Amino acid sequence: MADSSIDLSQALGAFMEEARELLDQMEAILLRAEEAACDEEDLNALFRCAHTIKGSGGLFGLDEVVRFTHVVENVLDRLRKGSLQFDSALITLLLECQDHISNLIVAVAEHSEMPVARSDALIVELQGVLGQAPGGPAPGGPVATTPAPAQETAAEPERDEDGSAVMAADHWHLSLRFGEGVLQDGMDPLAFINYLNQYGKIAHIETITDQLPDFDGADPEICYLGFEVSLISSASKAEIEGVFEFVQDNSQILILPPQSRIAEFLNQIEALHGDVSRIGEILVACGSVTAKELEQALAEQRRAETPARIGEILVEQGAVPPTVVEAAVKKQIHAEERRNVESKSVKVPAERLDALIDRVGELVIAGVGTHAQIGRLDKPDLLESADLLLSLVEDIRDMALRLRMVAIGEVFSRFPRVVRDVSKELGKQIELRIHGAEAELDKSMVEKIGDPLMHLVRNSMDHGIESAEVRRARGKPEVGTVELNAYHESGSINIEVKDDGGGLDRERIFKKAVEQGLISPEAILSDQDVYRLILAPGFSTAEKITNLSGRGVGMDVVRSNIEALRGTLDIESVPGQSTTMRLCLPLTLAIIDGFHVGVGSSHFIIPLDMVVECIELPPDIGDSAYFEQRGEPLPFIRLRDVFGEEGPAHPRPRIIVVRFGSRRAGLVVDRIYGKCQTVIKPLGPLFAEVPAVSGSTIIGNGDVGMILDIPALIRHCSDIERSYLRLARPVAA
Amino acid sequence: MGLEFQRDGTQSSARLTGELTIYTVGELKTALASELVAVDALEIDLTGVTEMDTAGLQLMLIAKRYPGKTVQFVNHPPAVLRLVDLANLGSALGDPLYLAAVES
């Protein structure tokens, strides 16, 4: 039984994943529906999403998911049939429902308590849409000529008001396909079925014999038979399931409760993998068409020159509604498609990939070390093969890292919804434009930039975009625009959140910062520096506090999140026109190309992407903190001073010019070793207080090198500088 | 379990006794196969069957599918009828069933 529980949890995992995909799809369609009328295909897709979630949820006994989704499905069904029309309020409600289903599934995953109260509240709203009194009996309900089992009413309080859609009103339907080995395992399927009589009355059994081979090919000890059973019973689903407890492995046991609607058994068809080619048989077994109708259809098929599909013939003859066959046929196509997709990609657990990358990291370190030792041997042949080996190892490193790359669109995809909801809430009209959704970055980054981006987007919408009146007065289009752009640039990815709003008000930020004691009133700051003040903890200029932003919480969190990813946040603003927040992030967190330098007896690694050039420090520089290079001032810092290094100095120190975002700075070092592969090892908490170091690494000769966090280093130094400026030379330029 | 054939030209009749279950179906199928090769029609008397399960029922279906030959089952005892009835295969098997036997 242990095995089966593993199977189940795997299957459940697959269900969650599928459900998430379906919910995303629902969201996308709903958002589209808001802009333009939905076509039939969208409406059908929408219905199928809810329907499949409900169906699969039922298979796993997720009653709350089924109960709630069922009502949503009813609404979608009405939309699909045209008896209900989309309006803005309905879309909002359905989006809320979609969120709620998503929450329910999360609750299942986390084994936390189901938010039942929320379900109830939404169901009441949905029923309002359906025109039903909540919990009341359905008008003209077709069900229950015989008294329906009372406890089922509790599980499904709402009734389908559409009489024709309800089938087989008062019995359970069991679809049983036993595993081949069930007989050899000493179990007797018919004995189980017979046992069902303990729970009620078997109304009808259809034995499915089409898997039965002919005489010669048949192994009489293998079970080829399937059974479709109608059971009149007041037992619970768990009780009926219990009957088949011991045969669940390798068997397909499907139990549909009474009052299942046609939709329900469509699901059943979908669930019956392998049997899809026998649509007709399944339809008959479910009571959807009679055997006679099927026979006629089959006869027709035999008569036809080119064999038409049974489904089409049945529809033509009016024997089954098109939707029924559509689902069955879809399944056939879907099975085919899925097979194709499966052959194109392989799913690998993330931790296995991480383990691989970790090992590749070690391989790179070992490779570099070996290469360095061989280099000292003065054996050109050996060195040549070591070169080749190293370049192969580097290729493997790149490929391994690429395995983890995912398109940033994964993060962007949630924003259309956010923009929609927030603009509604704010009463602004805002349009979202997305560019560069295909740009790739490391999976672990994708997971971590979602929240910071969310803050930035909300901030832009709330503070950036002006109200419609102001926009009109300023001669701008009434509809504001928020843009999300992503693009690669020199080993990093830039993500921009741009709005065409009022821009940042330099004066107001400055004033506020002074009020809050962040800067002195005399401080001389560049525009950039002023804008960066909005990232300070507790800073907010918003005059109106909304529940989105304006509480001064957020932007500093954004900054620290981004810094934790070794990224930077630049702010550009054109007053009255636009604000651009530019996130610059490294592509990966695991391995970088580093530039190896030495100061005293210590080793430091500078991310190679940031290195612009190496020059010699002019000997006559003295104590100055900048020098002029090609007509531009270049500020520099001495790593020796920053890290209190006291080892032997070099008579002619060098300057490494680094660039990040739009800034340049110089780092004074003693020695330059050159480019090296750097596998980043996180620093322990012991080093948390060390400024400007983002990690450590093992360099070729086995020594430990510190990886410099350039943006933090510059900031650290300019903070010191600024306080110095403020205190000592407040008026100096 | 016992299965005795009595051949009469291209026809054969057999008496099956004992269990018709997962424990005997393998053996029975082999026996049926060698007999059906030689004859055109086979009538199997089930009177002596004391017990039957899904495998036994399935063997009946398989035997019925022997290409080009007629296989008929007669004198279903209660143990067999109960199962044929449960699986709703009476008409699929196409053998005459005696309701009286069900009641006994």
Side-chain angles (χ1 to χ4, degrees), chain A residues 617-627 634-638 640-641 653 655 668 721 724 729:
Chain A
L617 183 68
D620 57 346
I621 202 85
D623 277 344
S624 173
Y626 70 94
F627 74 100
L634 178 75
F636 65 85
I637 46 181
R638 296 165 191 271
R640 175 171 289 270
D641 299 344
I655 291 187
V668 180
E721 184 89 351
Y724 173 73
R729 295 181 287 166

Side-chain angles (χ1 to χ4, degrees), chain A residues 68-79 83-84 90 93 122-134 138-139 158-162:
Chain A
F68 181 72
T69 316
H70 175 71
V71 190
V72 176
E73 187 189 335
N74 282 349
V75 173
L76 294 176
D77 191 38
R78 290 275 209 94
L79 281 165
S83 63
L84 203 62
L90 182 55
L93 176 60
L122 283 170
I123 285 175
V124 170
E125 285 191 51
L126 288 168
Q127 279 167 339
V129 172
L130 285 169
Q132 285 174 331
E158 67 289 325
R159 286 278 181 277
D160 206 295
E161 78 291 359
D162 182 358

Side-chain angles (χ1 to χ4, degrees), chain A residues 90-274:
Chain A
L90 182 55
I91 289 175
T92 306
L93 176 60
L94 286 173
L95 282 168
E96 279 171 22
C97 292
Q98 177 248 337
D99 280 346
H100 183 62
I101 297 172
S102 169
N103 288 340
L104 288 174
I105 286 167
V106 167
V108 172
E110 293 172 351
H111 302 289
S112 56
E113 204 179 316
M114 289 282 186
V116 177
R118 174 83 178 135
S119 301
D120 290 339
L122 283 170
I123 285 175
V124 170
E125 285 191 51
L126 288 168
Q127 279 167 339
V129 172
L130 285 169
Q132 285 174 331
V143 289
T145 40
T146 55
Q151 56 268 59
E152 276 316 302
T153 346
E156 293 205 323
E158 67 289 325
R159 286 278 181 277
D160 206 295
E161 78 291 359
D162 182 358
S164 62
V166 179
M167 55 164 285
D170 55 354
H171 63 67
W172 293 79
H173 187 99
L174 285 71
S175 179
L176 312 168
R177 297 290 182 279
F178 295 97
E180 283 199 338
V182 66
L183 300 172
Q184 282 146 329
D185 292 344
M187 283 174 286
D188 187 0
L190 280 168
F192 290 118
I193 292 169
N194 196 28
Y195 189 73
L196 286 173
N197 279 316
Q198 302 281 328
Y199 291 106
K201 187 176 177 303
I202 293 174
H204 186 80
I205 295 186
E206 200 66 42
T207 303
I208 310 298
T209 58
D210 65 290
Q211 297 290 329
L212 204 61
D214 57 6
F215 188 88
D216 285 330
D219 179 346
E221 294 183 358
I222 284 181
C223 182
Y224 301 106
L225 301 178
F227 301 92
E228 302 284 331
V229 181
S230 313
L231 176 70
I232 300 169
S233 168
S234 58
S236 72
K237 185 166 183 190
E239 281 177 297
I240 294 175
E241 262 169 358
V243 174
F244 299 99
E245 191 184 340
F246 297 108
V247 289
Q248 264 167 9
D249 301 2
N250 305 320
S251 299
Q252 289 175 327
I253 308 289
L254 191 68
I255 300 170
L256 300 176
Q259 273 120 36
S260 292
R261 297 154 327 114
I262 285 180
E264 205 81 54
F265 87 78
L266 289 190
N267 236 6
Q268 170 184 0
I269 297 173
E270 290 184 18
L272 285 174
H273 292 276

Side-chain angles (χ1 to χ4, degrees), chain A residues 7-51:
Chain A
D7 286 350
L8 196 65
S9 72
Q10 273 177 353
L12 191 61
F15 160 67
M16 307 252 179
E17 203 163 299
E18 186 189 20
R20 263 191 291 270
E21 279 167 22
L22 290 168
L23 288 167
D24 286 349
Q25 197 186 339
M26 271 177 88
E27 185 178 273
I29 295 172
L30 286 169
L31 291 173
R32 248 197 333 264
E34 196 157 57
E35 283 158 23
C38 263
D39 58 15
E40 203 176 320
E41 204 172 297
D42 276 349
L43 289 170
N44 282 331
L46 210 51
F47 172 78
R48 264 198 315 277
C49 289
H51 178 69

Side-chain angles (χ1 to χ4, degrees), chain A residues 188 205 207 215 218 222 224, chain B residues 29 53-54 58 65 86-88:
Chain A
D188 187 0
I205 295 186
T207 303
F215 188 88
I222 284 181
Y224 301 106
Chain B
K29 192 199 161 196
D53 64 4
T54 311
Q58 184 174 271
R65 294 190 168 210
L86 178 65
N88 198 15

Side-chain angles (χ1 to χ4, degrees), chain A residues 637-673:
Chain A
I637 46 181
R638 296 165 191 271
L639 288 186
R640 175 171 289 270
D641 299 344
V642 175
F643 292 102
E645 187 56 55
E646 284 165 358
H650 196 277
R652 280 175 294 124
R654 318 292 172 94
I655 291 187
I656 313 291
V657 181
V658 294
R659 184 183 56 124
F660 65 98
S662 53
R663 301 197 207 182
R664 276 154 34 99
L667 306 175
V668 180
V669 303
D670 288 332
R671 276 170 296 278
I672 292 171
Y673 296 102

